[in-house]
Each structure stands twice: as C-alpha cells, then as structure tokens.
Amino acid sequence: MPTHDLAVIGGDGIGPDVTTEALRSIHAAARRFGFDVTTTEYDLGAERYLRDGTALDDADVERLRRHDAILLGAVGDPRVPPGVLERGLVVGLRVALRHAVNVRPVRLYPGVESPVRDLTPDRCDLVIIRENTEGLYAGGGTTVHRGTEHATAIQNSVTTTPATRACVEYAYRLARARRGRLTLCHKTNILVEAGRLWTDVVEQVGAAYPGVGRDYVHADAMCQHLPLTPERFDVVVTDNLFGDIISDLGATIQGGLGLAASGNINPAGDTPGMFEPVHGSAPDIAGTGRANPAAAVLSAAMCLASLGEPEAALVLEAATAGVLAELPATTGPATGEGTSGIGARIAERVATVEPDALGDPATSLMSALVRAAA
C-alpha cells in the first residue's frame, strides 16, 4: 500500500478548522482508493512568532523538505504586523522550496452562482499559472528620507530566465495535458525589458510544444476579458504580481475567494509542493464555525493529484462540487451547516461519488496535474 507523508501547517484564524476538514476528506479518499496517509503537525504561524519572534527558520525548512507534500491552512493575525508572516513564512517557503509555479484554478462548478450575469460552468474552466518567486514580490527595495516630506521609495522587480523558463515550461506541459491553449499575460508595452524576457521564453519553449497554440493579452485587458469571456482561456501564464491580481479576479468569477484553491509547485519535483486555500485566515470569523472548508478540500485534491492519485483527486473535487451545489449559500451562517458539517458531508460523499461526476476525467485539471508533473 503506498503511503503519502504530509506536513500540516494549520496556521492562524480559520486555518486549523478548514485544514481539519481537508484531512478528513483525504483520509476518506485513502480508504476508498487503497493508499495510506501519515501527517506531521507543524507549529508555524502567529502563535509561534509571538512566542519567539521566528516566522520560519532553517531547521523548519529542512524538516519540511522530508515530506511528500505540505498542507497549509492560512496565516495572518492582527497581533502581527502585516507582511511578517506572509513574507516570512509563506513567501519564505516558496523561495526555499523553489516553488516557481503557483497554480490557481478558476472553475465555476454547477449550482454555484457567479456574480457575472448568465455565466455558466461550461464557459468557466481555466488555470492561471503564476510565477511564484520573483517580480516585485522578491525584488526588494529601499526608502530614503523616510518620515519626511521628501520620502522616496524604490521597489525593485527582478525577472530571471531560469525562474521564468521553469514556470513557462510547466504551463506548456499543463496546456498540452488540457485543451492545448496557452496565453501569456503581461504588460509588454510598458514593462518592456521584463516583458521581452517573458515573450522570448514563451516563444523559445513553445517550439517544443507544436500542438499548443499560444496568444498574448495585456494584464489590464485581462481584467476585462476574464469576467466577460472566460471561455477564451485555458492556461494563462503570468508574472508574480499580475498573477496575484488576476487570480483573485478569477476567484470572484467562480463564486468567491472562499471557493478558490491553490498549489505551490516545484516544477523539478524534488521538493514537496504546498497546497493552500486562497481565502486567508479570516480572523473575524475564527472559532465561529462559519468558514466553508471547500477551498481547503479542493486544495487537498490538487495535493493528491500532485502525488499521483488522480482518481482520489477527481473524487475530492466532485464531492466538494456536489455539496456546494446543495448549499443554500456558500459563505456565512446561510450555509446552514458550519465548517464541520460541510466537511462531514464532503467526506461522506467521497465514499460514493464517481470520478467522472464533473465530466470527462481526461480533460480535468486533476488529471492534467498528474500528467504535467516532473
């Protein structure tokens, strides 16, 4: 029986609660599909930082490297200055584990209402591939004359060919495994140097993927096309900052941040991936049982796909989509279930739902993630 060794970082706010439900569904899938799962809890997040002033140290990274994958619940706490945990823990792990790729699905599930009028599930099924370690996020900067009327801030953006190529190659592999379309999103008319590097890499790598068509869209134009014609896109590849922005727009289109999953992946496959819901720690509802664990379970499905368990991943996704379609609302008390109630329904559904419940598994992101793996 294969065994998958997971590191679990519940983190802050609602993170531990939704991660508990994600693990419940993973264990249900393991029982059904004949694999085993071991877990190790890591005390990383606000409480650790408030105790000893450390968000992440080298010993933590080395221990995490030994696992097959990492489940992250959420980080962020009003007692900790903004950016300390986000950069120190989440970005720190992405850089240390060489997670050059962030995978953000944008899929409208049947029965889930989109704020975009008349949008239907058959029109909204794409993936945003975001470069995860460079750009303005990792460029650093400085401020001179701070605290005076002459304060001047300089924020650097760094774009290298190796990181861009790793991201683009993964995007092409995923596009080949899906519907064979790749779109570069950037701002090449203004960010000329970085834009040219991205364009050159997309063209060079594309020569090895003759079956994948490619096009280009400016980042600002993407903010118009994405809500109006999401069916135009299959796999979108973009830089760190643009990816952060347009993937949140995509989450809104698919029904809200509470339904948005993500995965941080090392395309070389030699460090564990990290999978996390996008919604953050939501400290205002921590401990109330009001958080919908759907995004955490969908992130867990991506985790299982990355570990070579496509049927289990498909079933987790289908079970989550089925329960979402039955809820009177997807957020807040109006769900009528609460965190543990929704999680229990999803886990129960995992035991019976078929892998093809959402359509042909061959065209699913979960199957594509398996085929795109190193």
Side-chain angles (χ1 to χ4, degrees):
M1 177 184 292
T3 298
H4 303 302
D5 179 21
L6 304 182
V8 180
I9 305 172
D12 307 319
I14 63 173
D17 295 337
V18 298
T19 303
T20 294
E21 302 310 322
L23 286 169
R24 191 201 306 228
S25 290
I26 286 177
H27 286 297
R31 289 191 295 271
R32 177 173 174 180
F33 292 101
F35 58 90
D36 197 12
V37 174
T38 61
T39 61
T40 303
E41 299 274 349
Y42 282 81
D43 178 22
L44 294 170
E47 295 299 336
R48 157 83 176 273
Y49 180 80
L50 291 169
R51 279 198 314 273
D52 63 19
T54 303
L56 181 74
D57 60 27
D58 292 343
D60 297 324
V61 174
E62 289 310 308
R63 291 175 62 206
L64 288 164
R65 282 182 189 275
R66 301 169 190 160
H67 295 277
D68 297 324
I70 304 166
L71 292 183
L72 172 63
V75 297
D77 187 293
R79 296 172 296 171
V80 179
V84 170
L85 296 173
E86 294 83 352
R87 291 188 64 86
L89 177 54
V90 180
V91 176
L93 279 173
R94 289 172 178 172
V95 172
L97 299 176
R98 300 190 304 282
H99 290 156
V101 170
N102 180 263
V103 182
R104 285 283 297 268
V106 180
R107 184 173 188 181
L108 179 63
Y109 290 109
V112 174
E113 184 176 355
S114 169
V116 178
R117 186 177 61 188
D118 299 328
L119 184 62
T120 53
D122 60 298
R123 294 177 51 211
C124 184
D125 181 8
L126 62 127
V127 187
I128 296 171
I129 302 299
R130 166 190 174 189
E131 198 289 316
N132 214 23
T133 61
E134 294 190 340
L136 284 166
Y137 271 71
T142 187
T143 300
V144 297
H145 310 303
R146 189 187 301 273
T148 76
E149 62 181 11
H150 300 292
T152 303
I154 299 173
Q155 195 76 49
N156 302 321
S157 178
V158 174
T159 304
T160 69
T161 295
T164 304
R165 182 178 294 276
C167 181
V168 169
E169 286 181 341
Y170 184 89
Y172 268 108
R173 295 204 302 267
L174 197 65
R176 181 175 61 185
R178 280 174 55 88
R179 300 193 299 272
R181 300 202 314 272
L182 182 139
T183 301
L184 169 61
C185 174
H186 208 277
K187 192 66 177 166
T188 56
N189 58 337
I190 298 297
L191 305 179
V192 178
E193 299 303 326
R196 170 49 59 187
L197 191 151
W198 271 90
T199 301
D200 288 347
V201 171
V202 167
E203 291 177 354
Q204 292 162 9
V205 175
Y209 295 85
V212 176
R214 62 182 184 270
D215 64 356
Y216 171 82
V217 63
H218 286 320
D220 49 348
M222 173 64 82
C223 293
Q224 178 181 12
H225 295 311
L226 190 54
L228 297 179
T229 55
E231 64 272 22
R232 169 178 171 174
F233 305 106
D234 178 21
V235 174
V236 177
V237 66
T238 187
D239 99 324
N240 210 333
L241 180 60
F242 295 143
D244 187 30
I245 295 168
I246 66 171
S247 59
D248 278 3
L249 175 59
T252 300
I253 295 164
Q254 72 181 101
L257 282 174
L259 306 184
S262 77
N264 304 281
I265 293 174
N266 174 352
D270 55 7
T271 62
M274 182 168 67
F275 301 86
E276 57 179 314
V278 175
H279 50 57
S281 62
D284 57 320
I285 61 170
T288 66
R290 290 167 51 192
N292 187 335
V297 180
L298 292 169
S299 300
M302 295 172 63
C303 175
L304 290 179
S306 78
L307 295 172
E309 298 288 353
E311 286 192 307
L314 287 163
V315 161
L316 253 66
E317 182 184 28
T320 305
V323 170
L324 286 173
E326 297 166 359
L327 295 177
T330 58
T331 60
T335 62
E337 297 282 350
T339 308
S340 61
I342 296 172
R345 286 181 61 180
I346 293 173
E348 182 179 2
R349 193 72 56 90
V350 165
T352 58
V353 71
E354 293 302 319
D356 61 357
L358 286 175
D360 183 1
T363 62
S364 166
L365 169 64
M366 302 305 165
S367 300
L369 287 171
V370 176
R371 297 195 296 272

